[in-house]
Amino acid sequence: MKKTYLTILTTAFLAISCSSDKGNGSDIDATANIVGAWEATELRVDENTASDNAIFAREALAYLTDQNCTIITLQFNADLTASATNSTDYLEIDTTSGFDIPCPTTFETETSTYTYENNMVSFVNVNGEVVEVNVTINGDTMLVDAEDLQIPEFDEEGQLVFQRR
């Protein structure tokens, strides 16, 4: 179940980079502050209200980040193309003898397009629905509202943190 929850989170990260092209109306210069490679480094949740799964996901991502292991990278390009590289399907979590998560060496990469305007990243999810995700970018840190991701079993308030590399 814990691996399933991490997979759900990864799907959310990937969904941020998967979108439909909104046409010629997008202003490429407006995307300048999102352009770059972003690595997932932290999940912020309220300790008092978060589910056990959300707390476990937070701890797992923190553990991997401390090990200099990147499991999700989003690449946003100025031409409104994007790619998402992830290895969450290849995580092997060992909780029988402590807490150990070896850094996966196998990755999957998906490419698509996105739109970004007024702190909103828009994309089309796997059901063909347009989803808008509120993001806040401050320098090389991007915060993504977890609630906006509309992921089943993850409807808690919280923020996913990405660092631009």
Side-chain angles (χ1 to χ4, degrees):
M1 175 156 180
K2 291 174 184 174
K3 184 176 179 183
T4 301
Y5 188 70
L6 286 174
T7 300
I8 289 169
L9 279 178
T10 297
T11 302
F13 295 136
L14 290 175
I16 292 170
S17 70
C18 300
S19 76
S20 64
D21 193 334
K22 296 287 186 185
N24 296 331
S26 298
D27 181 4
I28 291 177
D29 291 337
T31 67
N33 65 342
I34 199 169
V35 170
W38 299 86
E39 296 177 356
T41 58
E42 183 182 358
L43 173 61
R44 295 179 183 167
V45 294
D46 184 337
E47 188 81 28
N48 297 317
T49 60
S51 70
D52 290 343
N53 285 339
I55 292 170
F56 180 80
R58 178 193 65 193
E59 297 304 317
L61 184 55
Y63 177 85
L64 290 165
T65 300
D66 287 346
Q67 302 302 314
N68 293 317
C69 176
T70 302
I71 60 169
I72 300 160
T73 302
L74 303 177
Q75 175 69 49
F76 293 100
N77 301 310
D79 65 358
L80 301 179
T81 60
S83 64
T85 304
N86 84 82
S87 62
T88 58
D89 286 342
Y90 305 99
L91 288 174
E92 296 180 15
I93 301 170
D94 179 11
T95 57
T96 59
S97 59
F99 190 76
D100 184 38
I101 308 172
C103 189
T105 57
T106 305
F107 296 88
E108 294 177 357
T109 301
E110 293 184 21
T111 59
S112 190
T113 59
Y114 70 97
T115 60
Y116 175 69
E117 188 175 334
N118 299 322
N119 295 328
M120 297 296 277
V121 174
S122 298
F123 61 91
V124 177
N125 67 16
V126 295
N127 297 325
E129 302 165 330
V130 175
V131 177
E132 293 183 337
V133 178
N134 186 24
V135 300
T136 303
I137 298 174
N138 185 3
D140 292 330
T141 301
M142 178 169 56
L143 304 176
V144 179
D145 289 344
E147 274 187 310
D148 290 349
L149 296 173
Q150 302 177 4
I151 303 169
E153 300 178 41
F154 190 71
D155 55 359
E156 300 179 50
E157 292 183 32
Q159 294 180 320
L160 304 169
V161 180
F162 291 85
Q163 295 295 320
R164 186 178 358 227
R165 302 290 182 216

